[in-house]
Amino acid sequence: MNLTGEVPHTMEELITLPGVGRKCANVIMLEAFGCAEGIAVDTHAKRISNRLGLSSKLEPEKIEQDLLKIFPKEYLKDINHLFVWHGRNTCDARKPKCEICTLKKYCKTWNSKKTDK
């Protein structure tokens, strides 16, 4: 463990710190050091990935691995921000605004609503 007061600069070092998992380490790597090594899978990324069929997994680490197989490295810096933005503004957990969603044709929630009618 780093006791020098400096924030570690690698994913491997960051996740050795108490309370720092992959999500937090991914955020630190991107926001503090401008280096996207992975995708921070938060509640928005998890929900949207599952609804769009990008991953069927429940564990954030497994969802991240599925997403890393889909998205090219040059887009990693934007992916989590897009999930958060879309999750907050359109794809809310309790009351998604499916009618205005530009991704609805790919969404399990939207498609299940259509078949329920």
Side-chain angles (χ1 to χ4, degrees):
M1 181 179 356
N2 182 345
L3 299 176
T4 64
E6 291 184 32
V7 177
H9 285 67
T10 68
M11 178 70 74
E12 293 77 23
E13 291 174 313
L14 284 166
I15 60 176
T16 67
L17 298 174
V20 177
R22 283 201 58 86
K23 179 181 112 178
C24 185
N26 275 315
V27 171
I28 293 168
M29 290 298 297
L30 178 60
E31 301 300 335
F33 305 119
C35 178
E37 289 192 15
I39 299 168
V41 177
D42 60 3
T43 185
H44 302 294
K46 179 178 179 178
R47 177 176 64 255
I48 294 166
S49 293
N50 288 160
R51 285 182 177 173
L52 295 179
L54 301 174
S55 178
S56 60
K57 310 291 190 319
L58 300 177
E59 302 85 0
E61 294 82 9
K62 291 181 180 178
I63 294 169
E64 179 186 11
Q65 293 309 309
D66 286 345
L67 295 175
L68 289 172
K69 292 173 188 169
I70 297 169
F71 295 105
K73 187 162 178 64
E74 62 264 24
Y75 297 113
L76 296 185
K77 65 180 179 59
D78 297 320
I79 295 300
N80 188 256
H81 292 127
L82 292 170
F83 279 128
V84 170
W85 178 84
H86 188 68
R88 287 182 182 167
N89 296 299
T90 305
C91 193
D92 183 79
R94 292 191 181 98
K95 197 169 180 181
K97 300 172 187 160
C98 298
E99 297 76 26
I100 64 166
C101 181
T102 57
L103 301 173
K104 65 186 170 193
K105 68 179 177 181
Y106 307 106
C107 180
K108 293 177 185 178
T109 301
W110 171 256
N111 288 314
S112 70
K113 286 181 183 181
K114 285 176 26 181
T115 57
D116 289 345
K117 293 181 180 180

